[in-house]
Amino acid sequence: AQTVTQSQPEMSVQEAETVTLSCTYDTSESDYYLFWYKQPPSRQMILVIRQEAYKQQNATENRFSVNFQKAAKSFSLKISDSQLGDAAMYFCAYRSMDSNYQLIWGAGTKLIIKP
Amino acid sequence: NAGVTQTPKFRILKIGQSMTLQCAQDMNHNYMYWYRQDPGMGLKLIYYSVGAGITDKGEVPNGYNVSRSTTEDFPLRLELAAPSQTSVYFCASSAFIAGSSYEQYFGPGTRLTVT
């Protein structure tokens, strides 16, 4: 069974600085999707970025980018120019290509932005 | 579009009571899901549905039931509520588009307390 691990329960960063959130996963599959979701205090789950495993190029969405290391089974999220609105819980999630119904979730990282 | 809506936002139940959490989506998505999120944890799948009339168990189905009589609605029933069911419940939906990431769209959640 696949597992997702986020080893940083909490991270803090100064406003306008860059921060990297870590995620590792375990799978025997060769193709799959990985996601980062943001959950602000409102509790709404918001998709930040997605990465398909067979694509070697790292995904980017404005100030958000990933460092996808398939061999190491690592999927970190980099947030550049951190803003106060980035403060939230961030969850890493895995979806198998064989399973179109379930996301496997990490425990989350709480990101604190210092003004 | 309203997206995914959930009612109620908050609820307090006494042990042994029953209730139904409502979920509706207006995006014509085939797939719908119910997750629970316990404090400090990621989401765990309770039940899912791949279309009207078809439901199946996820990782933590005990104590819950679902039905899917229409594409739009996917209610979650709690029978004989227990303190262990205190959690935040999220409903999500995704479209069936072959080759896509099956991105899941989430409702705002229902915070349930059982005392």
Side-chain angles (χ1 to χ4, degrees), chain B residues 7-52:
Chain B
T7 56
K9 285 188 169 53
F10 303 93
R11 184 72 185 265
I12 298 174
L13 280 182
K14 294 189 186 303
I15 295 171
Q17 288 185 321
S18 300
M19 77 164 294
T20 299
L21 280 65
Q22 301 292 343
C23 174
Q25 53 91 11
D26 62 359
M27 298 173 282
N28 202 32
H29 285 173
N30 297 81
Y31 293 91
M32 295 188 75
Y33 319 82
W34 273 107
Y35 293 93
R36 61 177 286 171
Q37 183 182 26
D38 297 330
M41 305 289 286
L43 279 65
K44 293 189 175 179
L45 184 67
I46 305 171
Y47 271 95
Y48 68 97
S49 169
V50 301

Side-chain angles (χ1 to χ4, degrees), chain A residues 35-94:
Chain A
F35 303 87
W36 278 99
Y37 277 86
K38 171 185 178 181
Q39 186 180 38
S42 66
R43 292 204 311 258
Q44 184 71 48
M45 279 289 187
I46 303 164
L47 179 65
V48 174
I49 200 164
R50 68 171 72 84
Q51 173 83 41
E52 187 166 3
Y54 81 82
K55 292 184 178 178
Q56 293 187 334
Q57 187 172 6
N58 289 326
T60 62
E61 290 285 345
N62 301 313
R63 297 182 295 107
F64 298 87
S65 61
V66 298
N67 183 5
F68 174 50
Q69 302 288 331
K70 190 173 183 180
K73 296 179 183 175
S74 171
F75 182 59
S76 60
L77 175 70
K78 186 171 84 170
I79 306 174
S80 304
D81 185 27
S82 298
Q83 300 175 0
L84 293 177
D86 294 334
M89 286 290 293
Y90 285 82
F91 292 93
C92 179
Y94 171 103

